[in-house]
Structure formats: structure tokens, C-alpha cells
């Protein structure tokens, strides 16, 4: 089965998770040739070490393929990503999405400032982040995992949604970010980036 | 305007109240909560923590070999197979006189053409950069396309599949406020030669304007439009009975009234000007908790059949082919693309509606297997969208979740 569902693929997923536990990140899954260009910026196994570069490891496959699609179609624009996506076919995008979604997310390297954990959680609930991204902010289907994502990247995206320069699948993020102040964005990004995604 | 690449059925609420202007979160004044995502509009307080959410399509499509298509089931004697793939977002279908299958999309911007070359289907992206080109009709050599804001024609299209002509406008200005809402359009050609299309409600449960929550029609010769029927929250599939020539249509009921209420519905319009209840009365017998106050359901035309709550009827056609057994003649096939707004999911199938001796409709599932786990998120691996009877009498079914078209045929007992 597709493995998109958090409720499906039980035995296979548990086996894969058990396997991952004993292996270093990158060795758990052979890197497809198409993904080799990605890891130069997004990090080994899609675990970015650059605060401005998003981690892809463990992101929902549908989220990754949708973002690649948006870069290729010109809805999202980025000097690095737009050319990278321009030559990818739909099948390429699905393959990359499947690969990175299978990778194990690293522990959060970002440390949330004291006070921002509680304030960030409050904002995440008040602004309905948890409604779509889930109570633990892990994402599902076309909605990204925010927990442990890179700080500067999250901040840039939220600023972009608020400024209506960041493309949005269904208007929900544009609507949600409209009400955030610059300070809210700072706190939210700081809070989200410091959350460690579950590792099994 | 927003850079949003995809149109959504989700309405951005305009009544946004600035909630947090505080420079420091700790120092904030008591503030109204921010407006929720608009598909949550109409929820009651108890539903605020609801995990229910709409599902997004795979914008890059999926290959049939990645999917459990062997799980699809049809009644004995029938066969279902993958007919074409590589059509992300495939929705409404229309059949050309030379056999081209035209396919519209809603969340993407493309119209596809599928050409059968000796049993091998070739998929072309025929038209690009349109605004939710959901509705497609073929008639006398011309392809009509309904976008959110306009209906256009492409004459002589089947001989110009590789260099389609410029669009000629039949009618424009159908989306004057450019607001979010149920404004992508289904399109069908009536027996009167007019093009019928829906203008849905601007949100889940909101007061529509006079031209919204309607099925309207336009005369392609003159461009004159008129409201045909009203009180229809959103209908994205309709057809005319082959004998009575009456308009039958599916309708999507409102969300957030619970797992069992209200039903989505199948209707028949017997005359122009009928009102089917939205936003006051749902499924012919259930007053809306807000808009139904001081109203009575008796002033509205009830449905012909209740289809199931939140089950999302999309394409529907009368079966007029020669391939299926005789008892299928003039039955209706309806594709159920939902449900998402129930804790226990149902639908995700193509259902057959037949009529008893008194003309009373009843339904039974016909093509099933898309729904895998009614409690899972997501519960399904595919979503049937439109149905179309081919000249040989087989039935095509589009799946916009994956961009696949299936064919159902009948081989005998």
C-alpha cells in the first residue's frame, strides 16, 4: 500500500522503523540518483543542517510532490528550487517524494528560547495550526510536518504567506498567516523548530 | 491577489478580525481568536477539536501500478480495468464525435484529450493555464469549457488537437467578485440546446446572492443567461432523463451537522424556478439550525432520493448504452467522491440508481473498492469523480485523486 496513511502499512512500517533504528540514516535506504542533487542542500537523507533549508526527511510524500509540482509550475518561485524542479516529470517527483518521506528525521538541533515554548504552543492553538498540521504538528498527506523543521525556513514561509507571496494550495495558510504579527512569526518558528519529531 | 495556484472549494472568510497585534505575546490584550480555515465554517463549539478535514488530490498523479486497483469490484459479469492514466486531477469527461475523450480539471489548470490509437491511449494536455476548467461539453465539432468565470468554445477541436484554436467566449463575468467558494463549474448541454452550469454557494453555510446556489443556463448562440433552479448548495453533476427530458442533478449538503445529517441528495427539476431549500432547508425535511429559523421545509421542492450524508455526488449520467443488461437502461450512475465530513467514512464508489414500477428510485453500489478503511485518515486510495457512457456502452469513471480513468464493461453472465 501507499504508506501515506498514518494508520496503514503497520507491519511493514514497524519493520522499516526497526531497521532504521540500527542503521545510520543514509544507509537505511539507497539514495536514488535523482535525489543526489537534493541532498547537497537538504542534507544527507533530507536532514538539513542549514537553518534556511528545509528538512525533507520524514515529510509526508504528498506534501513533497505537491511542493515540487508548485516549483515546476511556477506557483512557488525560488532561485535554487525553480531550476531544479523545472525538468522533473510527475513520476520523478513521486519518486523523490517517496524516498524522502521514508527517511528518518533527525533530532531537532534548534533550541527554543525560554518562554517561547509555552507562548509558541499558545499561538499554534490560537491560530489553528494544530487543526491541519495535527496536535503534535507532524503533518499528514499534503500538509507538512512542522515539528523540528529549520527555524529560518519556517519564518520565511510564514512571512511569505502573510505577504501573499508564498503560494498556497487552498488558501488556508494565507488566511491563517494574515493574522500573525512579525513577533508571532518569530515565536512560532522558534517553538516549532525546537520540537523533536518522534523517532520511531 | 493571492498567489494561490489552485482554486479551492474552501472559502476564505472575509470577516477576519485582527486577533493578535501584541508586540509581545505576554502583553497581549484579550483578543478574539483568529478566524479558522474556512472549511471549518459552520462548526459548533463541540466540533472545534474535530480531526475531520478535506483531502487533497495528488497533483502529480499516481501510476496505477502504485495503487491497489485489483481491489476494485463490480457486479458479476462486469469487468473493471484501468483505461488511461497520467491525467492528474481528471474530473469531468466529454466524448468527441471522432472518439476523443476530453477531460477537465478543477484544482489544476488543464484540459486533457485522450486519443485511442489502435487500443493504446495517448494523453495530450490540450489546454493550459485555465481557471479551474472543470466543465467540458462536446457538441457538433465544438468543445465547450466552463472555467470559474467564463464559458468558452473551441471550434473544430478534434482536427486541431495539437494546435487548438483560441478560445471564443460564450459568456464571461460569471465570477464577478472573484471570491472563494463553490464556483468551479460543471457543464452539460440540455435538450433545449442551452448549456447548463452550476453557481454554488460561496461557503459551507452562508446566505447566497440571487445568482448563487443555482443551476443556470446560457444560450450559446446569444450568450443570454438565466437562473434555472435555485436553493442548490452545489451541484457538480447533472443529466436529462432520456424519456421525460427532465433535469436530474446531485446536490452537496452542508457540512458540520454530524455524521448522519444532512444527506446529499438527488433531485429532479420539473420546471424552471423551483427552489430546493438551501440555505434554509436541507434534504427536504431538515431546517438549518441558523437559516431555517422561521421557515418551513414545505415551501421547497424535496429531493427524489437521499444519497447519504457528506457522500459528495459528483458526475452522474443516465445509462443509455447497449452493452449492459437491459435492466440498466435509463438507470443513473453517480460517482461519490466523499465523504470527509464524517467520523466513519462512507461512499467512494459509483452507485447505480434504478427505478421501480412506480418510478421510485433506489440505489445500490456498483463500482466499489476505493474505500479501504472507513476510520483511517485517509480512508481511501482513489476518488471516483465523473462517469461517462461510451459509444460501445462501456462506462468510463474518472478518479481525480490519482489522475486515472477506469473502464467498466459487461462480458455476460
Amino acid at each position: 500500500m501507499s504508506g501515506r496513511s498514518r494508520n496503514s502499512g503497520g507491519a511493514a512500517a514497524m519493520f522499516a522503523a526497526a531497521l532504521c533504528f540500527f542503521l545510520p540514516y543514509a544507509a537505511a535506504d539507497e539514495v536514488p540518483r535523482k535525489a543526489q542533487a537534493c541532498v547537497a542542500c537538504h542534507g544527507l537523507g533530507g536532514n538539513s543542517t542549514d537553518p534556511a533549508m528545509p528538512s525533507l526527511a520524514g515529510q509526508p510524500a504528498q506534501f513533497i510532490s505537491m511542493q515540487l509540482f508548485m516549483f515546476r509550475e511556477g506557483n512557488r518561485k525560488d532561485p535554487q528550487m525553480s531550476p531544479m524542479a523545472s525538468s522533473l516529470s510527475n513520476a520523478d517527483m513521486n519518486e523523490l517524494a517517496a524516498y524522502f518521506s521514508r527517511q528518518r528525521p533527525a533530532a531537532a538541533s534548534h533550541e527554543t528560547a525560554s518562554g517561547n515554548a509555552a507562548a509558541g504552543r499558545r499561538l499554534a492553538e490560537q491560530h489553528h495550526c494544530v487543526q491541519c498540521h495535527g496536535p503534535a504538528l507532524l503533518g499528514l498527506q499534503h500538509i507538512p510536518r512542522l515539528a523540528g523543521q529549520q527555524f529560518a525556513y519556517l519564518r520565511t514561509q510564514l512571512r511569505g504567506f502573510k505577504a501573499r507571496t508564498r503560494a498556497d494550495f487552498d488558501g488556508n495558510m494565507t488566511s491563517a498567516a494574515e493574522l500573525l504579527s512579525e513577533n508571532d512569526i518569530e515565536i512560532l518558528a522558534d517553538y516549532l523548530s525546537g520540537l523533536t519529531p518522534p523517532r520511531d | 491577489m493571492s498567489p494561490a495556484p489552485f482554486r479551492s472549494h474552501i472559502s476564505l472568510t472575509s470577516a477576519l478580525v485582527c486577533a493578535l497585534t501584541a508586540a509581545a505575546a505576554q502583553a497581549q490584550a484579550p483578543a478574539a481568536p483568529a478566524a479558522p480555515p474556512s472549511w471549518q465554517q459552520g462548526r459548533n463549539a463541540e466540533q472545534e477539536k474535530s480531526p475531520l478535514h478535506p483531502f487533497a488530490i495528488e497533483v502529480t498523479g499516481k501510476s496505477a501500478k502504485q495503487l491497489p486497483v485489483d481491489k476494485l469490484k463490480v457486479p458479476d459479469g462486469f469487468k473493471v480495468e484501468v483505461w488511461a492514466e497520467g491525467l492528474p486531477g481528471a474530473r469531468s469527461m466529454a466524448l468527441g464525435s471522432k472518439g476523443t475523450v476530453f477531460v477537465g480539471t478543477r484544482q489544476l489548470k488543464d484540459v486533457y484529450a485522450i486519443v485511442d490509437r489502435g487500443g493504446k491511449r495517448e494523453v495530450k494536455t490540450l489546454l493550459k493555464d485555465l481557471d479551474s476548467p472543470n466543465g467540458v461539453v462536446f457538441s457538433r465539432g465544438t468543445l465547450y469549457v466552463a472555467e470559474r468565470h467564463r464559458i468558452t468554445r473551441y471550434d473544430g477541436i478534434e482536427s486541431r488537437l495539437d494546435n487548438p484554436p483560441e478560445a471564443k467566449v460564450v459568456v464571461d463575468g460569471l465570477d464577478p467578485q472573484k471570491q472563494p467558494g463553490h464556483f468551479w463549474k460543471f457543464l452539460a448541454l440540455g435538450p433545449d440546446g442551452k448549456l447548463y452550469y452550476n453557481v454554488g454557494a460561496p461557503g459551507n453555510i452562508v446566505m447566497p446572492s440571487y445568482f448563487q446556489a443555482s443551476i443556470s443556463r446560457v444560450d450559446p448562440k446569444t450568450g443570454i443567461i438565466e437562473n434555472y433552479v435555485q436553493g442548490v448548495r452545489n451541484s457538480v453533476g447533472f443529466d436529462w432523463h432520456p424519456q421525460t427530458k427532465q433535469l436530474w442533478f446531485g446536490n452537496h449538503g452542508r457540512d458540520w451537522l454530524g455524521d448522519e445529517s444532512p444527506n446529499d441528495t438527488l433531485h429532479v427539476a420539473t420546471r424552471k424556478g423551483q427552489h430546493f431549500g438551501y440555505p434554509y432547508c436541507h434534504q427536504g425535511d431538515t431546517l438549518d439550525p441558523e437559516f431555517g429559523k422561521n421557515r418551513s421545509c414545505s415551501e421547497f421542492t424535496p429531493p427524489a432520493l437521499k444519497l447519504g450524508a457528506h457522500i459528495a455526488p459528483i458526475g452522474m449520467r443516465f445509462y443509455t448504452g447497449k452493452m449492459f443488461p437491459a435492466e440498466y437502461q435509463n438507470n443513473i450512475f453517480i460517482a461519490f467522491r466523499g465523504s470527509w465530513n464524517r467520523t466513519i467514512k462512507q461512499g467512494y464508489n459509483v452507485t447505480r440508481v434504478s427505478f421501480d414500477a412506480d418510478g421510485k428510485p433506489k440505489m445500490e453500489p456498483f463500482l466499489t473498492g476505493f474505500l479501504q478503511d472507513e476510520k483511517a485518515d485517509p480512508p481511501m486510495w482513489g476518488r471516483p469523480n465523473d462517469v461517462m457512457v461510451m459509444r460501445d456502452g462501456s462506462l468510463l469513471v474518472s478518479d481525480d485523486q490519482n489522475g486515472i480513468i477506469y473502464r467498466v464493461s459487461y462480458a455476460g453472465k
Side-chain angles (χ1 to χ4, degrees):
Chain A
M1 257 320 294
S2 70
R4 283 181 300 138
S5 163
R6 59 186 178 193
N7 296 338
S8 72
M14 280 171 68
F15 176 71
L19 196 65
C20 287
F21 190 76
F22 294 107
L23 293 170
Y25 305 146
D29 199 346
E30 196 180 333
V31 185
R33 185 169 305 163
K34 290 183 194 86
Q36 283 167 6
C38 312
V39 302
C41 296
H42 291 284
L44 199 60
N47 278 303
S48 163
T49 51
D50 176 346
M53 287 291 167
S55 285
L56 306 177
Q59 287 288 356
Q62 192 180 7
F63 165 71
I64 299 174
S65 58
M66 183 180 279
Q67 300 312 306
L68 287 170
F69 175 89
M70 286 163 74
F71 280 119
R72 184 186 67 196
E73 300 299 311
N75 307 114
R76 278 188 79 175
K77 290 188 177 69
D78 180 86
Q80 282 160 291
M81 274 310 297
S82 300
M84 296 294 286
S86 66
S87 61
L88 295 177
S89 68
N90 286 341
D92 294 338
M93 293 179 180
N94 289 342
E95 189 186 336
L96 290 169
Y99 169 73
F100 284 110
S101 71
R102 285 194 305 265
Q103 306 310 304
R104 179 186 179 204
S109 53
H110 180 87
E111 213 169 300
T112 303
S114 115
N116 278 356
R121 181 70 200 180
R122 210 156 46 233
L123 285 169
E125 288 178 7
Q126 186 170 11
H127 289 273
H128 307 284
C129 309
V130 293
Q131 297 293 357
C132 298
H133 294 274
L137 299 149
L138 299 176
L140 82 168
Q141 297 155 31
H142 68 296
I143 298 167
R145 172 171 57 76
L146 305 177
Q149 186 52 282
Q150 290 290 348
F151 168 76
Y153 172 77
L154 287 174
R155 187 174 57 183
T156 304
Q157 303 315 302
L158 286 170
R159 284 173 176 167
F161 284 124
K162 183 176 167 66
R164 300 194 165 208
T165 54
R166 162 69 152 88
D168 189 354
F169 175 69
D170 51 18
N172 284 338
M173 275 311 300
T174 304
S175 170
E178 192 160 17
L179 299 175
L180 297 173
S181 69
E182 178 59 29
N183 192 53
D184 294 338
I185 289 174
E186 195 79 20
I187 294 169
L188 268 172
D190 189 29
Y191 160 66
L192 295 167
S193 187
L195 296 172
T196 288
R199 312 198 65 210
D200 50 16
Chain B
M1 275 306 294
S2 156
F6 309 109
R7 292 294 187 170
S8 153
H9 66 296
I10 293 163
S11 146
L12 282 175
T13 177
S14 56
L16 295 176
V17 180
C18 187
L20 274 179
T21 52
Q26 287 81 356
Q28 58 190 259
S38 58
W39 50 267
Q40 298 177 355
Q41 188 258 323
R43 294 191 316 183
N44 64 34
E46 278 172 28
Q47 292 164 330
E48 272 189 15
K49 299 287 178 207
S50 168
L52 304 181
H53 64 96
F55 305 109
I57 65 165
E58 298 279 354
V59 293
T60 48
K62 281 235 164 167
S63 165
K65 61 176 190 285
Q66 297 172 277
L67 299 166
V69 293
D70 59 331
K71 295 278 190 284
L72 292 175
K73 276 185 70 178
V74 280
D76 286 347
F78 288 88
K79 178 183 155 193
V80 56
E81 64 200 309
V82 172
W83 189 75
E85 57 183 306
L87 304 108
R91 284 181 63 106
S92 307
M93 296 180 282
L95 181 60
S97 57
K98 295 177 186 170
T100 312
V101 172
F102 298 96
V103 186
T105 59
R106 180 190 121 199
Q107 282 147 316
L108 303 183
K109 301 173 176 181
D110 308 318
V111 174
Y112 306 107
I114 308 172
V115 184
D116 200 326
R117 299 205 191 283
K120 192 167 161 32
R121 259 83 52 192
E122 184 190 337
V123 177
K124 298 168 188 286
T125 301
L126 178 70
L127 306 171
K128 293 176 184 173
D129 292 323
L130 303 182
D131 192 354
S132 281
N134 182 71
V136 285
V137 158
F138 183 92
S139 175
R140 297 165 190 260
T142 293
L143 175 69
Y144 295 92
V145 176
E147 300 174 66
R148 278 176 66 98
H149 60 303
R150 63 177 191 169
I151 297 168
T152 52
R153 58 184 293 160
Y154 300 84
D155 297 331
I157 189 70
E158 275 190 297
S159 54
R160 303 195 55 182
L161 294 178
D162 292 313
N163 60 332
E166 287 294 304
K168 288 185 198 159
V169 172
V170 174
V171 59
D172 205 344
L174 297 176
D175 187 16
Q177 288 149 320
K178 298 200 183 338
Q179 68 191 30
H182 300 92
F183 299 134
W184 65 95
K185 291 171 177 55
F186 182 77
L187 191 68
L189 184 68
D192 54 1
K194 292 176 180 170
L195 291 165
Y196 286 67
Y197 57 92
N198 59 306
V199 179
N204 172 33
I205 185 70
V206 281
M207 185 60 72
S209 75
Y210 74 94
F211 68 90
Q212 294 168 337
S214 77
I215 295 176
S216 294
R217 62 186 178 190
V218 59
D219 184 339
K221 293 193 217 54
T222 62
I224 302 292
I225 61 176
E226 52 189 325
N227 270 18
Y228 186 62
V229 292
Q230 288 176 287
V232 181
R233 181 174 172 277
N234 197 31
S235 175
V236 278
F238 32 87
D239 198 8
W240 287 262
H241 190 286
Q243 289 162 339
T244 68
K245 308 294 182 196
Q246 286 171 334
L247 173 68
W248 287 70
F249 61 94
N251 182 33
H252 289 216
R254 64 158 292 183
D255 296 322
W256 304 116
L257 280 191
D259 271 18
E260 301 302 336
S261 179
N263 275 260
D264 291 348
T265 42
L266 177 67
H267 298 264
V268 54
T270 52
R271 58 180 170 77
K272 186 185 167 192
Q274 283 176 309
H275 195 299
F276 292 88
Y278 181 90
Y280 315 106
C281 172
H282 310 298
Q283 64 173 35
D285 57 15
T286 301
L287 287 170
D288 187 79
E290 181 184 357
F291 294 97
K293 285 174 189 161
N294 307 94
R295 304 296 292 231
S296 161
C297 280
S298 65
E299 67 176 301
F300 307 111
T301 307
L305 187 63
K306 294 175 182 174
L307 300 174
H310 315 299
I311 205 161
I314 311 280
M316 60 151 280
R317 312 266 175 143
F318 284 92
Y319 185 77
T320 51
K322 299 284 178 277
M323 181 189 280
F324 293 3
E327 60 266 29
Y328 283 80
Q329 239 358 258
N330 299 340
N331 286 184
I332 303 173
F333 286 110
I334 311 184
F336 293 147
R337 185 176 182 261
S339 52
W340 67 264
N341 194 236
R342 305 177 97 231
T343 54
I344 309 293
K345 305 298 190 284
Q346 62 176 356
Y348 300 108
N349 65 45
V350 175
T351 280
R352 170 192 179 194
V353 177
S354 56
F355 299 87
D356 69 14
D358 301 324
K360 197 169 171 308
K362 67 178 169 71
M363 64 175 180
E364 61 190 302
F366 176 74
L367 169 62
T368 59
F370 294 105
L371 178 62
Q372 282 182 304
D373 181 346
E374 59 192 15
K375 293 180 182 171
D377 185 356
M380 78 302 170
W381 60 266
R383 309 177 88 181
N385 195 296
D386 195 16
V387 290
M388 181 169 74
V389 184
M390 295 290 275
R391 291 217 172 79
D392 66 359
S394 62
L395 186 75
L396 295 188
V397 178
S398 62
D399 164 9
D400 67 327
Q401 188 70 23
N402 299 303
I404 292 176
I405 294 176
Y406 310 92
R407 175 179 183 261
V408 180
S409 55
Y410 182 71
K413 294 115 206 135

